[in-house]
Amino acid sequence: LLAVPEVEAVVVCVPTFLHAEVVCAAAAAGKHVLCEKPLATTMEDGLRMTEACKAAGVQFMIGFVRHYSTEWCKLREIISEGRIGRPVLWRNLVAIRVPPLRWFVDGEKGGGPFLDGCVHDYDFARSIFGEVEWVMGSLMRFSEHSTALDTGSAIIHFESGDELVRSWCWGLPAPNCNSPAAADVIGPGGAIRFPKAGESGNLFLINGNNEEEAVPFEPTTSQDWFDRQMVHFIECVQTGTEPFANAERALKALEIALAVLKAGQTHERVDL
C-alpha cells in the first residue's frame, strides 16, 4: 500500500503497540499520517514516531476527536470564562465490562483504560487548564483477562490549581455488565451538569440557590466529530498548516498517562 504513488496519506487504526511500526513506515514512504490515540505505549516510541514524521516533512495528526465536539468545546468555553469560578474540580466515573478485544487490557499492547481511554481526558483538560504539576493514583486489576491495571482512580493536578479526577473500570464481568456513568464540574461559583437522556443541546449551570441555567450548544453526533476531524486533517495536508492535535499534544498526553500508571502502581505522587 505504501508503495502506491496515488496514496498520499494514511489513517493508522491498528492496536496501540503497533502504532510506531506503521507510522514510521508511512513517514518513510512520504505519506501524511492521522494516527489514533493514544500516540504509543512508551515515550520512546512516541518520540520515534514524532521524529520520523518531522524528518520526512509529512503532517502528523492524532485522533483527539473531542476537539471537534460542540458539547466539549462549550464545556471548555464555560470553564475558561470563569462562570463557576476557579479553580475547578472536574469529576468523571465510568465502569464497563472488560473489552472483547483483549489487547485493550493487555499491559504491553493497550495499557488499559488509564492509558487508552483517559488519554482523551488528559489531553482535553490540558486545553483548558494548561500544564500538569503532579498526579496521584490507586489502580488495581479486576478482570482475569487483564494484564493491565483495569480499575481504579487518578487525580491529575494542574499548575493552575484545577484538578481532574478519574475513576474508571474496564473490568466488570462480560458480556453486558455496565454501571451508570457520572460526570460534573464543580467550582467555588457553582457547578456544571452534563445533559441527561433527551436533553441534548444544553449544558446546565447550577447556582447557589440550586437553580439551573441552560447553556445551549449545537447538537452533534459522534459521527459528526469524526467527520470534522477528517476534514481538518485533509485541510492540513492540502494547505501545509499544522494540525491542532499535533505530536506535541500527543506526547504531553502520553506523559500524563504513563505518570498515572506509575502513580497507580507505587501509590506515590508523581511530579511532571
Side-chain angles (χ1 to χ4, degrees):
L1 178 65
L2 294 179
V4 178
E6 290 79 10
V7 174
E8 298 178 37
V10 299
V11 181
V12 178
C13 298
V14 296
T16 308
F17 75 105
L18 297 173
H19 282 182
E21 176 187 347
V22 179
V23 169
C24 290
K31 315 299 184 184
H32 303 285
V33 177
L34 169 56
C35 181
E36 255 298 0
K37 61 76 203 167
L39 178 63
T41 57
T42 67
M43 289 299 292
E44 291 77 11
D45 275 353
L47 291 167
R48 184 158 61 93
M49 296 156 68
T50 301
E51 290 302 317
C53 291
K54 182 178 179 181
V58 298
Q59 294 285 13
F60 188 27
M61 178 170 155
I62 310 302
F64 285 130
V65 71
R66 282 189 186 172
H67 295 291
Y68 308 94
S69 160
T70 51
E71 179 179 352
W72 286 104
C73 290
K74 179 58 69 172
L75 176 70
R76 177 166 56 202
E77 179 183 309
I78 292 171
I79 296 172
S80 298
E81 288 177 349
R83 297 187 66 178
I84 61 169
R86 296 290 285 272
V88 303
L89 175 61
W90 178 6
R91 309 182 295 179
N92 196 329
L93 174 70
V94 174
I96 62 172
R97 65 189 176 96
V98 61
L101 297 175
R102 302 297 192 222
W103 67 264
F104 279 106
V105 286
D106 184 306
E108 299 297 323
K109 295 180 178 180
F114 288 90
L115 173 58
D116 188 274
C118 291
V119 75
H120 275 304
D121 303 311
Y122 308 147
D123 171 69
F124 200 83
R126 274 193 69 245
S127 76
I128 307 174
F129 305 138
E131 300 305 331
V132 171
E133 184 176 357
W134 52 261
V135 305
M136 295 178 66
S138 178
L139 308 183
M140 64 196 78
R141 188 175 294 106
F142 269 19
S143 175
E144 63 181 6
H145 301 290
S146 302
T147 60
L149 297 167
D150 62 18
T151 301
S153 301
I155 299 172
I156 297 90
H157 183 84
F158 292 80
E159 293 175 357
S160 61
D162 303 289
E163 284 194 352
L164 171 68
V165 175
R166 284 293 177 262
S167 181
W168 276 54
C169 173
W170 279 1
L172 293 181
N176 291 311
C177 183
N178 294 318
S179 178
D184 64 10
V185 183
I186 58 175
I192 302 172
R193 177 173 71 80
F194 287 83
K196 301 174 184 177
E199 293 181 331
S200 178
N202 291 293
L203 292 168
F204 298 89
L205 294 179
I206 306 171
N207 64 21
N209 295 317
N210 205 34
E211 300 166 332
E212 289 193 352
E213 173 192 349
V215 182
F217 58 87
E218 175 196 356
T220 52
T221 67
S222 57
Q223 186 60 54
D224 294 328
W225 311 349
F226 283 97
D227 290 345
R228 292 176 178 187
Q229 177 177 257
M230 186 61 71
V231 167
H232 179 59
F233 175 60
I234 293 171
E235 288 176 348
C236 290
V237 168
Q238 291 175 332
T239 63
T241 56
E242 186 174 22
F244 176 78
N246 58 16
E248 180 183 0
R249 295 200 68 87
L251 285 167
K252 288 282 190 178
L254 177 58
E255 181 184 24
I256 297 166
L258 295 176
V260 167
L261 292 178
K262 181 179 179 181
Q265 291 172 321
T266 63
H267 301 283
E268 295 179 355
R269 190 176 102 169
V270 175
D271 295 329
L272 278 77

